[in-house]
Structures are given as C-alpha cells and as structure tokens.
Amino acid sequence: NAGVTQTPKFQVLKTGQSMTLQCAQDMNHNSMYWYRQDPGMGLRLIYYSASEGTTDKGEVPNGYNVSRLNKREFSLRLESAAPSQTSVYFCASSEAGLAGEQFFGPGTRLTVL
Amino acid sequence: GEDVEQSLFLSVREGDSSVINCTYTDSSSTYLYWYKQEPGAGLQLLTYIFSNMDMKQDQRLTVLLNKKDKHLSLRIADTQTGDSAIYFCAEKMVYGYNKLIFGAGTRLAVHP
C-alpha cells in the first residue's frame, strides 16, 4: 500500500496563477482532508470530505476549492494564487471509526511569488 | 474556544528521557494524539489516548493525561538521534466530523 500520495511535491506560482494539488489514498478510507502548515503554527484545516460526494469548509477555506472525484481522490484548487497561500499543504485520510486516526501524505511545498 | 498549546523547542542528550508537554482547552475532546514529523515528511501517528484514560505506554513512549488540568505529555525513554523531529499534539472534538485541532509543534533536538 502506498498510503496517501500527493502531487506535486514542490511548486512555484506567480500571483494570480491557478493550480490543482492532487491527493489519492489506497486505504479505502471514507474521509479525506486538506491542511496547510505555516511556520510556528499547527496544521489548519482547509476543507474536508466526510464521504464520497460531500465536501465541507474547515477553518481557512477562503481562496480554495476542492473536488472529491471518487472515494480515492480529493483535489485542492487555488483559482488565483496569492503570496499568503505560500505554505506546505498536507492531505490526510481516515476511517470513520471511534479513534479516527488520520494518515498523512508527504506534503506539497507551494511558493507564490 | 478550541486551542492546543505546546512549547516550541526541547533539547536533550542522547540516552536521556524527553518529556514534551501540551495543554488543551476543550474538555469535550474524545481522543488526544501525538504525531511526529521528520524533516520534509508528512505527519506520522505515534500514539493516542482516549480521554477516559490516565496513561498509555507503548514501548519507549508513555502518554500521561491529566483531564482536570487539561494537560497531556509524551515521554520518550532512552532518546535517540532518530527521535529528532517535530512532535504535534492534537485533540479530536466530540462533535461533528473527525476534526483535529493541532498544536504548533515542539521541535525535539537530540545531541550526543
């Protein structure tokens, strides 16, 4: 099992450009998440998908959109990138059980100039 | 409100024990987690404790939970250089979806 995979690993954008971050999991998990990690701060939830066909906003959704393409894949789109979106982005997935342990991908390091 | 706080940095000598502390504010949390992040990598779940437990031990790791003080700690026995990483405390809320609130992380540096 590959677990949670993310592409790309690194990306540099200019202000105003758009891009989509891809995430896939092979653990048959129902729930998937997108976080951003900024220096000196914990991970903050951008969007999540409790199950295939549903998506909801997290703490910091502004400037982002998501698509839950199928059970395996959950993408994050930046329509018009801004320097404030420079961050490391992590995708995670979890089973719906009581503990609900989340498994994380390796991250995408995004720089917006 | 929801908040998880950790000290930002800890330095220990190889072979000593490390204790990383965390405080949280929401008493309705159900599970509390410790994640490890090595440089350039994603977060890896180390261990977790259910909120009605006081202690959990897993090999070199011991988690202590003081619900009254809303204080969680992670003790790593016989700390090795491979333990150098950032450690995140997180709490899972009882309501809604599987939401985790993360602390800012504690950077553990292990020196010879």
Side-chain angles (χ1 to χ4, degrees):
Chain A
N1 283 355
V4 180
T5 57
Q6 293 182 236
T7 56
K9 284 189 167 47
F10 301 94
Q11 183 72 48
V12 178
L13 292 177
K14 293 181 181 175
T15 297
Q17 286 185 314
S18 61
M19 78 160 296
T20 300
L21 282 65
Q22 306 287 353
C23 173
Q25 53 92 9
D26 62 2
M27 295 174 282
N28 203 35
H29 286 164
N30 284 307
S31 301
M32 297 186 73
Y33 313 83
W34 276 105
Y35 291 92
R36 60 179 288 173
Q37 183 182 32
D38 299 299
M41 302 181 73
L43 276 71
R44 291 182 293 167
L45 184 66
I46 305 170
Y47 270 93
Y48 70 100
S49 170
S51 61
E52 187 179 353
T54 69
T55 61
D56 284 287
K57 294 177 181 179
E59 295 174 71
V60 288
N62 291 345
Y64 305 96
N65 283 302
V66 290
S67 295
R68 184 74 183 266
L69 304 168
N70 48 55
K71 193 171 185 180
R72 289 188 64 247
E73 298 171 288
F74 188 37
S75 63
L76 178 72
R77 182 158 178 86
L78 286 70
E79 290 292 351
S80 178
S84 61
Q85 294 178 303
T86 293
S87 189
V88 182
Y89 291 85
F90 288 100
C91 177
S93 69
S94 72
E95 195 45 81
L98 280 176
E101 303 160 35
Q102 293 188 15
F103 295 84
F104 285 80
T108 295
R109 187 173 294 275
L110 175 67
T111 301
V112 183
L113 303 174
Chain B
E2 307 155 351
D3 197 16
V4 177
E5 293 191 356
Q6 303 177 236
S7 52
L8 293 182
F9 189 73
L10 176 66
S11 178
V12 299
R13 192 183 301 274
E14 190 174 11
D16 286 351
S17 292
S18 308
V19 179
I20 302 171
N21 294 301
C22 168
T23 57
Y24 60 97
T25 54
D26 197 315
S27 58
S28 66
S29 57
T30 55
Y31 285 87
L32 294 129
Y33 302 83
W34 284 104
Y35 281 87
K36 177 183 181 182
Q37 184 182 33
E38 295 182 0
L43 277 69
Q44 172 196 0
L45 181 66
L46 280 181
T47 186
Y48 65 91
I49 188 167
F50 188 46
S51 58
N52 69 353
M53 297 169 64
D54 298 324
M55 185 181 90
K56 181 178 180 181
Q57 188 150 4
D58 185 359
Q59 299 183 337
R60 291 191 298 122
L61 305 179
T62 302
V63 179
L64 294 177
L65 175 60
N66 180 329
K67 279 198 75 175
K68 176 174 167 290
D69 294 337
K70 298 191 186 73
H71 182 266
L72 181 75
S73 66
L74 174 69
R75 179 176 180 270
I76 305 173
D78 187 25
T79 311
Q80 303 297 308
T81 54
D83 295 323
S84 294
I86 302 176
Y87 291 80
F88 291 92
C89 166
E91 60 172 340
K92 178 185 174 185
M93 315 313 293
V94 71
Y95 51 83
Y97 61 97
N98 191 11
K99 178 179 178 180
L100 295 183
I101 305 295
F102 285 86
T106 299
R107 182 178 295 276
L108 174 64
V110 183
H111 56 87

